[in-house]
Amino acid sequence: MALVNDGIEVSKSDETKVAYLDRAKSLLDRFQKTAGDTSDINSFVEWAIALKPEISASTWRQYKASLVWFLQHKNQIELSEKLFAEGNEGCKDIKKDPITDRRTSARKKKSITENEEDSIANHLQRTAKESYWARPTLAFFKATLITGLRPEEWQSAFLITDPIDNYSSEDLPLLKVKNAKATNGRAHGEYRHLHLSEMSDKDLLFIRLALQYANPRTPNGWLSPEGKEKTWHDYYKRIRGHLYRTVKKLFPSATRKVAIYSCRHQFIANLKKAKFKREEIAALVGHATDDTASVHYGRAKFGRSRGGLPKPNKGEVAKVRLIFQGRPTQTQGPGQSAR
């Protein structure tokens, strides 16, 4: 089948793209078995959309992200945009029990209380001499709480402190981040900029430390007791594991555990608490539309008041597409949205 023999090549080190390509090929194989020997890409997209009533909203989002990326690399821009515009309406309503559901995402907290933050940070500081991984784990934990970066985005991020190019002194310091989801239409652009002029020196220190640990070219970057780790994935796995063991020790009875990604949820909740506009939040966290953070990330009721929050770049705010219509209510039928 011509569609399966796509000719797309990706590096094995780029795990997200490898996952997208594998999932797209799997769906194409299913389509071929259903539709027969055809290479009609339009029919394939229609078939994929027709799967929605059979799958959950989370599964649909994974399918859509993979196929949008795949279609873009096939230069099927119009079809990729059509698929990207497809929301979750009409997906199968699957009720999940957070206690019995064993998925990894269901076991992660989507908020972090002040007590949890302080307990984790204090424990990591106390055990810094005992465990090699305490310091880098603390750096990523605190830095993600105050910037909301995805874990993989720390590798490409860098701090601008001197006026260069188009950056004036009032813009600085500035954290420039390469959006991890830019290649599949889920970001507002290739980069985003977080203005940190109101951030405390202590918070800026955690950002600097996280950037040093995430950059393999720095003395401590990707460094483990055994030497340099081969990939970011291997290095971050050690960080993630150390935080997991820390949280399990501090909160052994908790059903949902605090993880690094919980910090991104809490950052968004804090922005909502501070009354940032939806498009400003999207610009700060690298989303293409204003509904992703509004629906799928931390809620304002879990937000905590804290000073020194980053400010978004106005030009990037203008690029965010405004499509959010409110959270669905219990009285609304399938496919309807609150106005």
Side-chain angles (χ1 to χ4, degrees), residues 295 324-333 336-338:
V295 176
F324 180 68
Q325 294 181 314
R327 291 180 178 275
T329 65
Q330 294 181 345
T331 58
Q332 292 168 329
Q336 294 179 314
S337 298

Side-chain angles (χ1 to χ4, degrees), residues 54 65 121 235 297 315 329:
E54 306 171 14
Y235 182 69
Y297 284 81
T329 65

Side-chain angles (χ1 to χ4, degrees), residues 265-278 281 298-307 309:
H265 281 275
Q266 186 60 48
F267 172 73
I268 292 175
N270 292 343
L271 294 177
K272 293 177 179 179
K273 175 77 171 180
K275 304 299 183 183
F276 277 65
K277 296 179 180 179
R278 291 190 301 273
I281 296 174
R299 299 190 179 187
K301 68 177 182 179
F302 297 122
R304 294 189 274 124
S305 299
R306 61 182 303 162
L309 289 169

Side-chain angles (χ1 to χ4, degrees), residues 163-336:
I164 57 172
D165 299 331
N166 297 322
Y167 305 122
S168 60
S169 57
E170 57 265 25
D171 293 326
L172 308 176
L174 188 71
L175 185 65
K176 185 173 182 178
V177 185
K178 187 173 183 180
N179 289 319
K181 304 295 183 180
T183 57
N184 63 356
R186 291 168 62 186
H188 53 64
E190 185 178 3
Y191 292 94
R192 68 183 186 272
H193 299 77
L194 282 67
H195 296 262
L196 310 178
S197 59
E198 298 181 12
M199 188 165 285
S200 69
D201 290 340
K202 184 178 180 180
D203 284 348
L204 283 172
L205 176 60
F206 281 121
I207 292 175
R208 291 178 187 275
L209 288 172
L211 292 172
Q212 289 181 18
Y213 286 125
N215 187 341
R217 292 181 295 276
T218 59
N220 291 322
W222 295 10
L223 190 63
S224 71
E226 300 81 21
K228 290 277 186 179
E229 293 287 357
K230 292 182 179 179
T231 67
W232 162 257
H233 174 77
D234 293 334
Y235 182 69
Y236 176 67
K237 186 177 180 180
R238 305 283 288 267
I239 303 285
R240 186 178 59 194
H242 189 77
L243 180 61
Y244 175 80
R245 291 187 294 274
T246 298
V247 171
K248 190 175 181 180
K249 180 177 181 178
L250 294 175
F251 310 101
S253 61
T255 302
R256 294 191 175 190
K257 307 293 186 183
V258 170
I260 293 291
Y261 220 87
S262 304
C263 300
R264 179 169 165 85
H265 281 275
Q266 186 60 48
F267 172 73
I268 292 175
N270 292 343
L271 294 177
K272 293 177 179 179
K273 175 77 171 180
K275 304 299 183 183
F276 277 65
K277 296 179 180 179
R278 291 190 301 273
E279 58 269 31
E280 291 177 331
I281 296 174
L284 281 168
V285 298
H287 289 159
T289 66
D290 68 336
D291 72 328
T292 305
S294 299
V295 176
H296 304 296
Y297 284 81
R299 299 190 179 187
K301 68 177 182 179
F302 297 122
R304 294 189 274 124
S305 299
R306 61 182 303 162
L309 289 169
K311 302 298 181 184
N313 179 278
K314 293 181 179 179
E316 291 160 5
V317 172
K319 294 179 181 179
V320 174
R321 298 201 302 278
L322 307 180
I323 63 175
F324 180 68
Q325 294 181 314
R327 291 180 178 275
T329 65
Q330 294 181 345
T331 58
Q332 292 168 329
Q336 294 179 314

